[in-house]
Short mmCIF file of all heavy atoms in Angstrom, two decimals:
data_model
loop_
_atom_site.label_atom_id
_atom_site.label_comp_id
_atom_site.label_asym_id
_atom_site.label_seq_id
_atom_site.Cartn_x
_atom_site.Cartn_y
_atom_site.Cartn_z
N VAL A 1 0.82 -1.21 0.01
CA VAL A 1 -0.04 0.01 -0.01
C VAL A 1 0.86 1.24 0.03
O VAL A 1 0.75 2.15 -0.89
CB VAL A 1 -0.97 0.03 1.23
CG1 VAL A 1 -1.73 1.34 1.25
CG2 VAL A 1 -1.91 -1.17 1.15
N ALA A 2 1.74 1.35 1.02
CA ALA A 2 2.56 2.52 1.13
C ALA A 2 3.80 2.22 1.99
O ALA A 2 3.74 1.29 2.85
CB ALA A 2 1.81 3.73 1.73
N VAL A 3 4.93 2.94 1.80
CA VAL A 3 6.09 2.75 2.59
C VAL A 3 6.83 4.05 2.73
O VAL A 3 6.84 4.86 1.80
CB VAL A 3 7.01 1.67 1.97
CG1 VAL A 3 7.60 2.16 0.65
CG2 VAL A 3 8.07 1.29 2.94
N VAL A 4 7.40 4.30 3.89
CA VAL A 4 8.28 5.39 4.13
C VAL A 4 9.67 4.81 4.34
O VAL A 4 9.84 3.81 5.10
CB VAL A 4 7.85 6.24 5.33
CG1 VAL A 4 7.71 5.45 6.60
CG2 VAL A 4 8.77 7.43 5.52
N THR A 5 10.70 5.39 3.73
CA THR A 5 12.02 4.87 3.85
C THR A 5 12.64 5.17 5.23
O THR A 5 12.12 6.02 5.95
CB THR A 5 12.93 5.44 2.77
OG1 THR A 5 12.95 6.89 2.91
CG2 THR A 5 12.43 5.08 1.38
N TRP A 6 13.76 4.53 5.54
CA TRP A 6 14.31 4.61 6.86
C TRP A 6 14.70 6.06 7.19
O TRP A 6 14.66 6.46 8.35
CB TRP A 6 15.55 3.75 6.97
CG TRP A 6 16.67 4.11 6.06
CD1 TRP A 6 16.84 3.78 4.76
CD2 TRP A 6 17.79 5.00 6.40
NE1 TRP A 6 17.98 4.37 4.24
CE2 TRP A 6 18.55 5.14 5.22
CE3 TRP A 6 18.17 5.64 7.57
CZ2 TRP A 6 19.68 5.88 5.19
CZ3 TRP A 6 19.32 6.44 7.54
CH2 TRP A 6 20.07 6.52 6.38
N SER A 7 15.09 6.81 6.21
CA SER A 7 15.47 8.20 6.45
C SER A 7 14.29 9.13 6.55
O SER A 7 14.40 10.27 7.02
CB SER A 7 16.36 8.70 5.32
OG SER A 7 15.65 8.74 4.12
N GLY A 8 13.13 8.65 6.16
CA GLY A 8 11.94 9.49 6.13
C GLY A 8 11.88 10.40 4.95
O GLY A 8 10.98 11.21 4.76
N GLY A 9 12.91 10.27 4.08
CA GLY A 9 13.04 11.20 2.94
C GLY A 9 12.14 10.88 1.78
O GLY A 9 11.86 11.77 0.96
N SER A 10 11.66 9.65 1.70
CA SER A 10 10.80 9.27 0.60
C SER A 10 9.66 8.47 1.06
O SER A 10 9.78 7.61 1.98
CB SER A 10 11.58 8.47 -0.44
OG SER A 10 12.65 9.22 -1.00
N ILE A 11 8.49 8.69 0.44
CA ILE A 11 7.29 7.86 0.69
C ILE A 11 6.80 7.38 -0.66
O ILE A 11 6.70 8.17 -1.59
CB ILE A 11 6.19 8.65 1.41
CG1 ILE A 11 6.74 9.10 2.76
CG2 ILE A 11 4.96 7.79 1.59
CD1 ILE A 11 5.74 10.01 3.52
N TYR A 12 6.52 6.11 -0.77
CA TYR A 12 6.03 5.51 -1.97
C TYR A 12 4.61 4.95 -1.77
O TYR A 12 4.35 4.43 -0.73
CB TYR A 12 6.96 4.44 -2.49
CG TYR A 12 8.33 4.94 -2.79
CD1 TYR A 12 9.37 4.83 -1.84
CD2 TYR A 12 8.71 5.56 -3.96
CE1 TYR A 12 10.66 5.21 -2.07
CE2 TYR A 12 9.96 6.00 -4.22
CZ TYR A 12 10.96 5.84 -3.25
OH TYR A 12 12.21 6.33 -3.49
N TYR A 13 3.78 5.05 -2.78
CA TYR A 13 2.43 4.55 -2.69
C TYR A 13 2.11 3.62 -3.88
O TYR A 13 2.69 3.81 -5.00
CB TYR A 13 1.42 5.69 -2.73
CG TYR A 13 1.50 6.70 -1.59
CD1 TYR A 13 2.25 7.84 -1.68
CD2 TYR A 13 0.83 6.42 -0.41
CE1 TYR A 13 2.42 8.72 -0.63
CE2 TYR A 13 0.95 7.34 0.64
CZ TYR A 13 1.71 8.46 0.55
OH TYR A 13 1.78 9.30 1.58
N ALA A 14 1.24 2.71 -3.60
CA ALA A 14 0.70 1.89 -4.75
C ALA A 14 -0.12 2.77 -5.61
O ALA A 14 -0.74 3.72 -5.14
CB ALA A 14 -0.16 0.74 -4.18
N ASP A 15 -0.15 2.50 -6.91
CA ASP A 15 -0.89 3.30 -7.86
C ASP A 15 -2.38 3.37 -7.48
O ASP A 15 -2.99 4.36 -7.67
CB ASP A 15 -0.75 2.76 -9.30
CG ASP A 15 0.64 3.02 -9.85
OD1 ASP A 15 1.37 3.88 -9.31
OD2 ASP A 15 1.02 2.32 -10.82
N SER A 16 -2.85 2.26 -6.91
CA SER A 16 -4.29 2.20 -6.60
C SER A 16 -4.73 3.10 -5.47
O SER A 16 -5.92 3.41 -5.34
CB SER A 16 -4.66 0.76 -6.24
OG SER A 16 -3.90 0.33 -5.09
N VAL A 17 -3.77 3.61 -4.65
CA VAL A 17 -4.12 4.48 -3.54
C VAL A 17 -3.49 5.86 -3.66
O VAL A 17 -3.79 6.75 -2.86
CB VAL A 17 -3.70 3.83 -2.20
CG1 VAL A 17 -4.26 2.44 -2.07
CG2 VAL A 17 -2.21 3.90 -2.00
N LYS A 18 -2.67 6.05 -4.63
CA LYS A 18 -2.01 7.34 -4.83
C LYS A 18 -2.98 8.46 -4.96
O LYS A 18 -3.96 8.37 -5.69
CB LYS A 18 -1.05 7.26 -6.06
CG LYS A 18 0.03 8.31 -6.06
CD LYS A 18 1.00 8.00 -7.20
CE LYS A 18 1.73 6.66 -7.01
NZ LYS A 18 2.71 6.41 -8.09
N GLY A 19 -2.80 9.57 -4.18
CA GLY A 19 -3.71 10.65 -4.20
C GLY A 19 -4.88 10.56 -3.24
O GLY A 19 -5.60 11.54 -3.01
N ARG A 20 -5.06 9.38 -2.67
CA ARG A 20 -6.15 9.16 -1.70
C ARG A 20 -5.63 8.84 -0.32
O ARG A 20 -6.26 9.20 0.66
CB ARG A 20 -7.07 8.03 -2.18
CG ARG A 20 -7.71 8.28 -3.51
CD ARG A 20 -8.75 7.21 -3.83
NE ARG A 20 -8.22 5.86 -3.98
CZ ARG A 20 -8.52 4.86 -3.19
NH1 ARG A 20 -9.46 4.99 -2.28
NH2 ARG A 20 -7.98 3.64 -3.35
N PHE A 21 -4.50 8.14 -0.22
CA PHE A 21 -3.95 7.73 1.04
C PHE A 21 -2.68 8.55 1.33
O PHE A 21 -1.93 8.90 0.41
CB PHE A 21 -3.57 6.24 1.00
CG PHE A 21 -4.73 5.27 1.00
CD1 PHE A 21 -6.03 5.71 0.78
CD2 PHE A 21 -4.45 3.92 1.20
CE1 PHE A 21 -7.04 4.80 0.75
CE2 PHE A 21 -5.52 2.99 1.17
CZ PHE A 21 -6.76 3.45 0.93
N THR A 22 -2.46 8.85 2.61
CA THR A 22 -1.24 9.57 3.03
C THR A 22 -0.66 8.87 4.23
O THR A 22 -1.30 8.65 5.23
CB THR A 22 -1.64 10.99 3.44
OG1 THR A 22 -2.31 11.61 2.33
CG2 THR A 22 -0.39 11.79 3.77
N LEU A 23 0.64 8.53 4.09
CA LEU A 23 1.40 7.94 5.15
C LEU A 23 2.17 9.05 5.90
O LEU A 23 2.76 9.94 5.29
CB LEU A 23 2.36 6.90 4.61
CG LEU A 23 3.11 6.01 5.61
CD1 LEU A 23 3.59 4.71 4.90
CD2 LEU A 23 4.34 6.67 6.21
N SER A 24 2.12 8.95 7.20
CA SER A 24 2.93 9.90 8.01
C SER A 24 3.40 9.15 9.22
O SER A 24 2.94 8.05 9.52
CB SER A 24 2.11 11.10 8.42
OG SER A 24 1.03 10.78 9.19
N ARG A 25 4.32 9.77 10.00
CA ARG A 25 4.81 9.12 11.19
C ARG A 25 5.20 10.17 12.21
O ARG A 25 5.58 11.31 11.86
CB ARG A 25 5.99 8.19 10.88
CG ARG A 25 7.19 8.87 10.29
CD ARG A 25 8.33 7.83 10.04
NE ARG A 25 9.55 8.55 9.58
CZ ARG A 25 10.65 7.93 9.32
NH1 ARG A 25 10.78 6.63 9.49
NH2 ARG A 25 11.75 8.61 8.97
N ASP A 26 5.03 9.82 13.44
CA ASP A 26 5.42 10.67 14.63
C ASP A 26 6.48 9.86 15.40
O ASP A 26 6.12 8.97 16.13
CB ASP A 26 4.17 10.94 15.46
CG ASP A 26 4.51 11.91 16.59
OD1 ASP A 26 5.66 12.00 17.04
OD2 ASP A 26 3.56 12.62 17.07
N LEU A 27 7.74 10.20 15.17
CA LEU A 27 8.80 9.42 15.78
C LEU A 27 8.81 9.54 17.30
O LEU A 27 9.13 8.59 18.00
CB LEU A 27 10.17 9.90 15.26
CG LEU A 27 10.43 9.70 13.72
CD1 LEU A 27 11.80 10.24 13.34
CD2 LEU A 27 10.22 8.26 13.37
N ALA A 28 8.36 10.67 17.83
CA ALA A 28 8.31 10.84 19.33
C ALA A 28 7.30 9.90 19.92
O ALA A 28 7.46 9.50 21.07
CB ALA A 28 7.95 12.31 19.61
#
């Protein structure tokens, strides 16, 4: 579905969810 890289610098989405889904993270 989606992945964020270890550095947090890149997020990739499956074509089927691109534009509709958003991945984010709160490291704290």
Side-chain angles (χ1 to χ4, degrees):
V1 175
V3 68
V4 57
T5 59
W6 65 274
S7 66
S10 297
I11 300 175
Y12 300 97
Y13 297 93
D15 288 343
S16 59
V17 307
K18 201 172 295 183
R20 300 187 298 119
F21 290 11
T22 303
L23 187 158
S24 63
R25 58 182 188 176
D26 185 333
L27 296 181

